[in-house]
Amino acid sequence: MSNYDALYLDCGFSGWFDSSPNWCSPYIGWQKFYNNDLKPMGGEFGNQILGAEAALWLEQVDHHSLDIRIWPRTSALAERLWSDPAHGWQAAESRMLVHRERLAENGIAAESLQPLWCLQNEGDCPLAQG
């Protein structure tokens, strides 16, 4: 299962013919990957869905931009599929922030999920209060 409105990694970037957004805009953040519950989409067969895939079409990606497009959004999808959470992305946010830093420490060019200042001043970040 791979629904384009939640699991396409290339959505939200400009089109390659002009500067307008591509057909699947806007950008899909890790929160939407995490909240993407596949069971309701499967209707009466929802409990038979065994997995999902995150699709990335490579016409606008090269080896310099691959990691940033994949990580950590696919990490959010993996946790979603593994744990089938009853709550939304907010319960996973602290794990995702730590996991992103772990990816970066291991040389993976994972997309930043928060400003570095927030990581250095945990609890004082205005983004986290809301």
Side-chain angles (χ1 to χ4, degrees), residues 9 11-12 17 21 30 42 52 64 68 76 83-85 95 102 104 109 122:
L9 294 159
C11 289
F17 291 116
W30 75 267
H64 297 289
I68 201 165
S83 65
D84 194 20
R95 289 189 303 279
R102 198 177 308 128
E122 190 173 343

Side-chain angles (χ1 to χ4, degrees), residues 56-113:
L56 176 61
W57 303 99
L58 296 176
E59 66 271 4
Q60 296 187 79
V61 179
D62 63 13
H63 68 281
H64 297 289
S65 58
L66 187 61
D67 278 347
I68 201 165
R69 298 269 179 113
I70 294 174
W71 306 108
R73 295 184 293 166
T74 53
S75 300
L77 175 61
E79 181 171 321
R80 169 81 205 180
L81 295 171
W82 186 262
S83 65
D84 194 20
H87 303 290
W89 64 266
Q90 293 86 348
E93 185 173 28
S94 62
R95 289 189 303 279
M96 287 296 299
L97 294 173
V98 169
H99 182 63
R100 188 277 170 180
E101 293 308 309
R102 198 177 308 128
L103 289 168
E105 287 169 6
N106 283 289
I108 297 171
E111 178 182 37
S112 179
L113 298 180

Side-chain angles (χ1 to χ4, degrees), residues 39-60:
K39 290 180 182 175
M41 289 182 256
E44 66 181 285
F45 303 106
N47 288 331
Q48 295 179 18
I49 295 174
L50 299 177
E53 68 178 3
L56 176 61
W57 303 99
L58 296 176
E59 66 271 4
Q60 296 187 79

Side-chain angles (χ1 to χ4, degrees), residues 9 27 38 86 123 127:
L9 294 159
Y27 177 80
L38 299 169
L127 300 174

Side-chain angles (χ1 to χ4, degrees), residues 9-41:
L9 294 159
D10 51 340
C11 289
F13 298 92
S14 64
W16 38 290
F17 291 116
D18 58 31
S19 62
S20 62
N22 64 17
W23 66 273
C24 60
S25 287
Y27 177 80
I28 301 168
W30 75 267
Q31 297 91 338
K32 192 163 185 179
F33 273 73
Y34 192 89
N35 282 346
N36 189 44
D37 187 358
L38 299 169
K39 290 180 182 175
M41 289 182 256

